[in-house]
Amino acid sequence: MVTIAAVLGAFAFFGLTPFKLVVTKILGTTTQGGTGNIARQYNVYGVNLGAPGSNATTSSIYNGTGNDLFVTHVIVGCQGVGTSKTAYTGAGLASLTVYAATTSTSNPANVTNANKVGGGNLVIGTSTAQFMEASSTSAGLATGLGGSNLVNNIWPASSYMTFTTNATNTAVCTFGVGVTSS
């Protein structure tokens, strides 16, 4: 015990320390001097495509963050997929599709915003009972081109992201968007 005290006393007398203190600083910069945020996923669950007029024709999510958001991808997941019929009329249909677009109201009967997130529709496969797709908006869903300069990939604050299907179906789906802060 005396030996340890003597060694520590000698270190203190000569201004030395037996321990090395390492301080690591992590610095970050932004052009605006702001702070970053994590990416998020917003989903609407239990979209019953068998009930047009309920939430099958359109389903909306509100952007209440106070900031515009950049949409990074759109997801669609469905179970119990069956034969599709045109919404309201029940006529036959070549393919079941869904698209996302921003709207000023929740669940509008008609989406007047023709600027679809990613530039186009997602086709929901009906050959099996389950379907899952996650598509990058930067790849341009409809065009297949890399990168995007589309203003429709911005989800303005205090607006809705509305998902619109073109048909009724036995499917129950989850629709969603991945976002990052603008």
Side-chain angles (χ1 to χ4, degrees):
M1 190 72 133
V2 174
T3 307
I4 294 173
V7 171
L8 291 176
F11 279 124
F13 179 76
F14 292 107
L16 302 173
T17 177
F19 308 104
K20 184 173 183 176
L21 178 62
V22 177
V23 177
T24 304
K25 291 184 179 181
I26 299 173
L27 304 173
T29 62
T30 68
T31 58
Q32 301 294 316
T35 58
N37 202 341
I38 59 172
R40 298 175 193 264
Q41 177 75 37
Y42 292 92
N43 298 318
V44 57
Y45 303 99
V47 179
N48 180 356
L49 299 186
S54 170
N55 69 343
T57 304
T58 63
S59 298
S60 299
I61 305 169
Y62 184 68
N63 176 3
T65 65
N67 296 309
D68 291 352
L69 302 171
F70 292 124
V71 178
T72 59
H73 61 276
V74 176
I75 66 146
V76 176
C78 299
Q79 291 184 313
V81 179
T83 302
S84 299
K85 301 290 183 184
T86 303
Y88 301 105
T89 67
L93 187 70
S95 65
L96 175 61
T97 64
V98 63
Y99 69 87
T102 59
T103 59
S104 59
T105 59
S106 178
N107 302 326
N110 295 307
V111 175
T112 57
N113 182 357
N115 296 315
K116 300 173 182 178
V117 172
N121 296 343
L122 290 170
V123 177
I124 300 173
T126 57
S127 60
T128 62
Q130 286 76 32
F131 177 82
M132 171 62 193
E133 182 168 355
S135 293
S136 169
T137 60
S138 65
L141 297 179
T143 63
L145 302 174
S148 175
N149 61 357
L150 300 173
V151 71
N152 47 327
N153 291 338
I154 298 173
W155 183 5
S158 303
S159 70
Y160 294 86
M161 182 61 65
T162 299
F163 300 90
T164 304
T165 59
N166 69 334
T168 61
N169 196 287
T170 55
V172 175
C173 301
T174 294
F175 299 144
V177 291
V179 300
T180 191
S181 295
S182 62

